Amino acid sequence: MSAPQVLVIGGGLAGLMAAIRAAEQGATVKVFSLCAPKRSHSACAQGGINGAINTLGQGDSPKYHFEETVYGGDFLANQTVVKGFTDAAPRLIYMLDRMGVTFNRTPEGFIDLRRAGGTKFNRVAFAGGTTGQQMLYTLDEQVRKLEEKGKVEVLFPWDFMEAIIDEGGVCRGAVLQDLTTMEVKAFRGDAVIMATGGLGYLFGKSTNAIINNGSAVSALYQQKVTYANGEFIQIHPTSIPGDDKNRLMSETCRGEGGRVWVYKDGKPWYFLEEWYPNYGNLVPRDIATREIFKVCIDMKMGIDGENMVYLDLSHLDPNWLNQRLGGILDMYEIFVGDDPRKVPMKIFPTVHFTMGGLWVDEKQQTTVPGLYAAGECDYQYHGANRLGGNAMPACMYAGELAGNTSMAYIKGLDKLTADMPETAFASAQKKNAEFDASIYKMSGSENPYLLHREMGEWMTTNATVVRYNDRLQQTDDKLLELIERWKKIGVSDSTGWSNQVVPFTRQLWNMLQLSRVITLGALARNESRGAHYKPDYPERDDANWLKTTLADYTKDGPKLSYEEVDIQHVKPRPRVY
Amino acid sequence: MPNDIRLKIKRQDSQSSTPYWQEFVLPYRPSLNVISCLMEIQRNPVDATGKKVAPVVWECNCLEEVCGACSMLINGKARQSCSALIDRLEQPVVLEPLSKFPAVRDLVIDRTVMFNNLKRVKAWINIDGTHDQGPGPRFPEKTRSWAYELSRCMTCGCCMESCPQVNPSSKFIGPTAIAQVRLMNALPNGENDAEERLAALMEPGGVAECGNAQNCERACPKEIPLLTSIAAINRQMVAKSIFGALNK
C-alpha cells in the first residue's frame, strides 16, 4: 500500500509545522508555496511568541495566558480551543529552542521574556526584533532535513487554484499552477492542509507581505467551504506609513518601554498613559488604534497636523535596544532615514492581522472532510482581537494539530487517492486550465493593478478602524462595480512563462469576493466588539451578537448565518483595561 | 526636485532568450523605493517611448528587508530592491538580475543552488523529533547574541553575487553556507554534528576555495560577519585535523 499523501498549501510557520508532523507519522508530504518557504510572511513577525514559561518568576501560568487571551478577544473565541494553544505554548517554545531558535537569554542562560499588550506578565519569548524570521528558518531547516530523507517535497512558486472535492463532498486533492512554467496541474492528496496566512493585501497597503492576498481561501469559499468571522480585521496601532506598504513597528517596542505621545501645549502628551493608568502604552491593539485615531482624526493633534503620532524609544539605552529590538530599529532607519535610538519614530495604525478565516472544528478540519486549515487562515483562536505575541503560538499549535488530525483521518479512509481512477483529477485539471486560458484572452480596457488599488482604498477607508453602515453598504456597491469591471480587464502580458499578470488577475477576482464577506459581515454586525467598532452601536451586545459569523457563498453574494460561541470556561464580562 | 524618475531595466523573456534593455519614465513622488516604481509600471505598462510593453517581472514579498526575495543589481550593486530608495540613487536607476544565478525572466533568478548548499552542509539541528522533550539546553547570552547575527541570513544571494570565487568554473559553496555551519556548530544542540558539517566544507568547493576577496561582508544587507565566520570555520577545521591526527 502506498504511503498517505498530504498536501500542505503554504510554507509559513503553520504549514511547515503541519508538514513536519504529518511526515513524522509516515505521510509523504508536498508543500506548495508562492515563494521559497524561507521567504514566507511568518518572517515578518517581530515581537515574539507568547508562552507562560515563567522564567522570570512572576507567577505566570497557562491559565492566565488563557484567560487574558479570551478577554483580549472580547469573548468571541471558542474557549476550549484557546485553552489548547495556551496550554501547549510552553511545550512549543521548548521544541523551537531544541531546534535552535536563537531566543534571547536571561543571565543564567534561560529563555528571556518581555511584555506585550493586554497582560502584565512578561510572556513573550523573543529572538531580537525578528523572532518570526528565526522561527521560520528553524522549521525550514527541519523540513530541509526531511527533504533529504525523501519524506517532504517543497514546490515553489506554485499558486493554489481549487480543491478537488468529490461527489461525496470529500476533499481528494488540489489544483495548482506552477508560476514559472504556468502549467496547471491536479495533485492527489488524501488530506489537504491550507496554511495560506492572512489577507492584508485586500486592503492594498498593510503590514502584510504582498503575497498575503487571501486568494486561496477565497477560492475555497467559492467552492462552498464556510468562512467565519470575516469582519474581524486587526489594525495594528504602530506602523511606518509607506508608498508601497505600511511597515510594522512591533508592539514589543512598547513592551520594552516605548511611549506613545503627541505635542499638547508645547509638551509631550502621553495620552495612552493618561487614559489607561493600569496598562498605559500596553493596552490591546484595537484600543490603542482607536485612541490614536481619536487623537489624529477627531482632535486633530497628530504630528504637524498629519495623521501620525510619536513612538518613542529615545530615552532607553541604545546598546540594550540593539540587543532586544535590533533588526526592526535598523529597518526604521533604512526606510525613514532617522535613528529611532535618538529621535522618536512617527507611526500610524494599519491593517495587520486577519482574525477571521476558514471555519474549522476542534481538529482544524473545515466544513469539507479531508480539507484542513491552520494558522492565520483559520478563524478560531483570537476572537474579536488578537493579543500581541499570540499569532505564532496559535499557528504553530494549529499546524501541529492539523498534521496530527489529518493523519488520524487518513487512517480511517477505505481507499487512498493513489488508488483512485484518473477521471476526477483530470477533469479538475482541465476545468482550471480552461479558466486560466480564458484569463489569457481577456482584452478589455481595465488594468487589474489599478482595480486592486481602488479596492484597497475603499476597504481601508470604510472597513477598518471605524465602521458606518451607510459606508459599508456603499463599499459593497463599489465591490460589485469592481467585480463587473474585472470582467473588462485587459491582460497586459501574454507570455506563457513566469507570467505575473495572469495569476494576479485570478487572485484579484478572489480578493473581491472575500472583500464582500468582510464588508457584509461588518454591515450585519450591529455592535462594537474588539476590532469591530461602529460609533452608531458603540457597545458590545452579548444578547444579540455573542456569536460567530458564518459566510457561505451563493451566486448572489455571501449568505450569513451565526453559531454559538463556546464560553464554558470564562463567563463573559465587560472588557475594561 | 526632479520631475520624473528614469529607470533602465535589463529584461529577458525566458531562461535562454537574449537580454535587452528597456527604459521607463515615471512621474516623481518623494520617498519611493525601486519596488514602488516597478508597481507603477504594472499599473501603466508603457516604456519611455510610449510603447505598450509587458510589465517587468520581479520577485518580492515582505517589502521590509527580512524575506530576501527582491535581490537585484541596482546601479551595479547587489541589494534588496525594497530598501533601495529612489531619492538616494543616481538616475537613470539601472536594474539588472543577479548574474551568478540562472535567469528565469526579467529580474527573477533561480537561487535553488543556495538551498541545496544548505543541504550539503546539513544546516539543521538533528532533533529526536517534535514530541515533548522538556526544555532545551541552557545557552549563554554572550554566545547567543553573536549567533543571532548569523541566524538573520535571508539567503538573498548578495554575497554570492559579489564573490569572485562564485563563478561558472568553480564549485565554491559561497559565504552563506559557511556562516550557517558556524551558526549550527555554535548552537548547544548543534555541536553533535559539528564534525560532519566541517567535513562537508572540506570537500571540493568548500571553504578552501575562498579567495579572501572580502567582498561578501560588504555586500551583505544584514551586515552578517561573514569574514569572521569563514576564519572561524578555518580554525575549527585546523582543530579538527590536529585532533583527528592525535586520535590516530
Side-chain angles (χ1 to χ4, degrees):
Chain A
M1 193 173 142
S2 11
Q5 175 73 63
V6 173
L7 308 182
V8 176
I9 316 297
L13 286 175
L16 297 185
M17 194 61 221
I20 292 168
R21 279 307 290 160
E24 279 183 340
Q25 291 170 73
T28 303
V29 182
K30 284 190 171 73
V31 177
F32 293 93
S33 172
L34 286 167
C35 55
K38 268 196 103 159
R39 312 200 193 288
S40 303
H41 180 61
S42 299
C44 296
Q46 300 173 348
I49 171 169
N50 278 339
I53 57 174
N54 194 37
T55 49
L56 303 190
Q58 296 173 331
D60 195 12
S61 79
K63 182 174 176 282
Y64 295 130
H65 185 192
F66 163 65
E67 288 175 1
E68 287 172 340
T69 299
V70 166
Y71 185 67
D74 228 350
F75 293 93
L76 193 64
N78 289 319
Q79 296 184 358
T80 306
V81 294
V82 173
K83 199 163 178 311
F85 103 75
T86 51
D87 282 349
R91 173 174 63 77
L92 292 167
I93 292 173
Y94 294 145
M95 179 195 75
L96 289 160
D97 187 33
R98 285 166 44 224
M99 289 176 175
V101 174
T102 51
F103 286 120
N104 282 52
R105 300 288 157 160
T106 65
E108 245 185 283
F110 293 104
I111 294 172
D112 201 359
L113 297 169
R114 65 179 165 204
R115 265 185 82 189
T119 178
K120 290 184 178 173
F121 292 106
N122 287 43
R123 188 183 289 147
V124 186
F126 61 102
T130 61
T131 316
Q133 186 187 34
Q134 310 321 314
M135 286 173 48
L136 177 67
Y137 289 2
T138 301
L139 291 190
D140 184 52
E141 288 151 11
Q142 295 298 318
V143 167
R144 200 163 286 120
K145 184 174 83 176
L146 292 165
E147 270 187 284
E148 274 292 271
K149 291 183 177 169
K151 294 185 174 174
V152 176
E153 189 185 355
V154 180
L155 299 101
F156 63 88
W158 283 77
D159 190 27
F160 178 87
M161 294 181 77
E162 228 180 44
I164 300 171
I165 299 172
D166 72 11
E167 286 155 4
V170 177
C171 180
R172 304 291 187 185
V175 183
L176 296 103
Q177 182 168 37
D178 180 331
L179 295 183
T180 305
T181 67
M182 307 313 287
E183 180 192 12
V184 172
K185 196 168 177 209
F187 290 87
R188 293 162 194 247
D190 301 304
V192 176
I193 302 173
M194 303 303 295
T196 53
L199 46 70
Y201 205 43
L202 261 61
F203 294 82
K205 291 193 281 186
S206 73
T207 63
N208 288 189
I210 63 166
I211 49 175
N212 295 18
N213 55 35
S215 173
V217 294
S218 175
L220 292 172
Y221 155 71
Q222 291 167 75
Q223 285 186 283
K224 311 278 176 75
V225 182
T226 302
Y227 195 84
N229 283 345
E231 65 269 33
F232 290 94
I233 300 291
Q234 177 164 77
I235 318 300
H236 198 290
T238 62
S239 82
I240 317 163
D243 195 272
D244 53 337
K245 84 169 286 191
N246 299 327
R247 297 176 173 84
L248 177 64
M249 199 34 72
S250 174
E251 176 168 298
T252 52
C253 290
R254 286 168 285 143
E256 301 287 20
R259 304 175 78 185
V260 175
W261 60 276
V262 290
Y263 279 108
K264 183 183 181 183
D265 306 326
K267 284 188 305 224
W269 175 40
Y270 300 97
F271 53 92
L272 289 174
E273 296 172 33
E274 185 179 309
W275 290 338
Y276 297 95
N278 281 328
Y279 284 82
N281 294 291
L282 285 174
V283 285
R285 292 172 181 173
D286 55 331
I287 296 173
T289 289
R290 279 193 289 277
E291 301 303 11
I292 293 170
F293 251 61
K294 184 168 153 189
V295 165
C296 292
I297 289 158
D298 303 344
M299 302 170 79
K300 310 227 176 292
M301 289 177 70
I303 304 167
D304 300 328
E306 290 189 49
N307 285 338
M308 281 193 284
V309 301
Y310 290 117
L311 169 60
D312 198 349
L313 294 166
S314 63
H315 55 291
L316 299 166
D317 172 37
N319 292 325
W320 184 78
L321 282 174
N322 284 342
Q323 193 87 347
R324 317 273 291 194
L325 296 166
I328 55 173
L329 301 182
D330 294 342
M331 180 184 76
Y332 186 87
E333 199 168 357
I334 289 168
F335 287 99
V336 181
D338 294 334
D339 181 354
R341 300 160 197 87
K342 293 182 183 143
V343 296
M345 296 181 276
K346 295 175 186 174
I347 54 93
F348 195 67
T350 195
V351 169
H352 180 58
F353 188 85
T354 312
M355 270 82 71
L358 292 171
W359 183 92
V360 289
D361 63 13
E362 71 290 349
K363 293 177 176 169
Q364 303 296 135
Q365 186 171 274
T366 67
T367 45
V368 172
L371 181 65
Y372 294 76
E376 194 171 339
C377 74
D378 82 37
Y379 89 105
Q380 72 174 349
Y381 293 100
H382 309 292
N385 170 62
R386 175 172 72 73
L387 288 188
N390 265 353
M392 296 203 285
C395 85
M396 294 282 299
Y397 175 73
E400 182 189 54
L401 189 56
N404 291 341
T405 55
S406 61
M407 286 304 287
Y409 158 84
I410 291 172
K411 287 194 182 102
L413 291 174
D414 303 337
K415 214 179 192 184
L416 293 182
T417 48
D419 307 318
M420 291 178 186
E422 178 62 22
T423 345
F425 302 99
S427 77
Q429 181 171 308
K430 183 160 174 277
K431 180 189 148 207
N432 282 280
E434 282 168 4
F435 177 55
D436 183 59
S438 72
I439 291 181
Y440 269 98
K441 290 195 194 109
M442 292 174 83
S443 60
S445 54
E446 296 281 1
N447 176 306
Y449 298 97
L450 288 172
L451 291 186
H452 171 258
R453 185 158 73 178
E454 209 171 325
M455 172 187 73
E457 285 167 359
W458 271 81
M459 290 298 289
T460 300
T461 307
N462 301 309
T464 54
V465 183
V466 183
R467 291 163 166 180
Y468 294 95
N469 283 349
D470 54 347
R471 296 185 204 169
L472 290 166
Q473 185 56 58
Q474 288 160 17
T475 305
D476 190 55
D477 297 343
K478 184 66 178 184
L479 292 169
L480 288 170
E481 177 205 310
L482 291 170
I483 286 170
E484 283 310 304
R485 284 166 61 194
W486 182 92
K487 296 169 184 163
K488 300 188 188 97
I489 283 175
V491 164
S492 53
D493 188 352
S494 56
T495 320
W497 177 263
S498 196
N499 184 319
Q500 293 180 332
V501 183
V502 168
F504 182 78
T505 302
R506 173 174 73 233
Q507 291 159 359
L508 178 63
W509 172 269
N510 291 340
M511 286 189 253
L512 286 162
Q513 299 297 331
L514 207 50
S515 293
R516 293 199 71 200
V517 173
I518 294 169
T519 307
L520 293 173
L523 178 60
R525 186 177 280 274
N526 282 332
E527 66 158 350
S528 292
R529 182 185 296 272
H532 172 72
Y533 172 63
K534 283 185 175 175
D536 296 333
Y537 303 88
E539 301 298 326
R540 194 175 88 196
D541 176 4
D542 284 353
N544 293 303
W545 289 104
L546 179 51
K547 49 194 185 184
T548 299
T549 306
L550 305 178
D552 287 291
Y553 178 82
T554 74
K555 64 176 173 32
D556 303 319
K559 181 168 88 48
L560 301 178
S561 58
Y562 298 91
E563 183 181 74
E564 292 304 306
V565 178
D566 165 12
I567 49 167
Q568 61 179 298
H569 303 283
V570 186
K571 194 167 165 262
R573 63 183 190 280
R575 181 169 172 255
V576 185
Y577 284 93
Chain B
M1 200 173 78
N3 292 326
D4 49 35
I5 298 167
R6 285 170 301 130
L7 299 173
K8 192 175 164 195
I9 303 176
K10 191 178 187 181
R11 306 197 58 173
Q12 184 167 349
D13 295 340
S14 68
Q15 289 165 303
S16 52
S17 64
T18 315
Y20 56 96
W21 290 91
Q22 229 164 38
E23 297 193 43
F24 295 87
V25 180
L26 313 174
Y28 176 84
R29 274 178 293 149
S31 308
L32 295 185
N33 57 8
V34 165
I35 288 188
S36 17
C37 293
L38 294 171
M39 287 174 164
E40 197 55 43
I41 293 174
Q42 290 180 321
R43 293 182 199 116
N44 182 26
V46 169
D47 75 0
T49 67
K51 192 177 76 172
K52 278 195 177 176
V53 297
V56 177
V57 176
W58 86 102
E59 198 183 339
C60 71
N61 293 335
C62 79
L63 312 186
E64 51 193 52
E65 214 188 57
V66 286
C67 81
C70 68
S71 309
M72 55 184 78
L73 286 170
I74 299 171
N75 290 347
K77 186 176 182 303
R79 57 186 294 191
Q80 304 307 112
S81 47
C82 63
S83 58
L85 305 184
I86 296 294
D87 292 336
R88 294 181 208 164
L89 290 170
E90 200 174 309
Q91 292 201 26
V93 178
V94 182
L95 306 182
E96 299 166 79
L98 295 189
S99 65
K100 299 282 177 81
F101 301 93
V104 176
R105 184 177 170 190
D106 290 350
L107 302 168
V108 179
I109 37 112
D110 178 359
R111 284 170 282 190
T112 307
V113 63
M114 294 185 76
F115 298 115
N116 288 343
N117 287 344
L118 293 175
K119 285 182 194 158
R120 258 166 81 183
V121 299
K122 299 186 169 38
W124 52 69
I125 303 297
N126 206 6
I127 59 163
D128 297 342
T130 60
H131 54 285
D132 191 11
Q133 299 277 50
R138 287 200 226 172
F139 194 17
E141 175 60 25
K142 210 172 150 186
T143 320
R144 198 287 317 175
S145 62
W146 68 254
Y148 170 70
E149 295 304 318
L150 304 180
S151 72
R152 294 175 65 205
C153 170
M154 311 181 287
T155 330
C156 68
C158 291
C159 61
M160 302 284 277
E161 181 71 18
S162 73
C163 174
Q165 296 299 97
V166 175
N167 62 57
S169 57
S170 130
K171 282 187 184 154
F172 183 41
I173 196 161
T176 325
I178 299 170
Q180 290 305 297
V181 169
R182 183 178 179 224
L183 168 64
M184 294 299 146
N185 288 3
L187 296 172
N189 271 355
E191 281 175 302
N192 297 335
D193 301 303
E195 297 222 348
E196 254 190 281
R197 293 189 201 99
L198 291 175
L201 287 180
M202 284 175 169
E203 286 169 12
V207 72
E209 293 191 32
C210 166
N212 205 24
Q214 308 197 356
N215 294 351
C216 53
E217 196 165 300
R218 277 194 298 273
C220 176
K222 295 286 130 183
E223 296 171 356
I224 293 171
L226 295 167
L227 299 175
T228 326
S229 297
I230 293 169
I233 288 299
N234 271 316
R235 281 196 303 277
Q236 287 183 23
M237 284 182 169
V238 172
K240 175 178 142 77
S241 52
I242 293 171
F243 197 67
L246 288 176
N247 271 357
K248 267 176 193 165

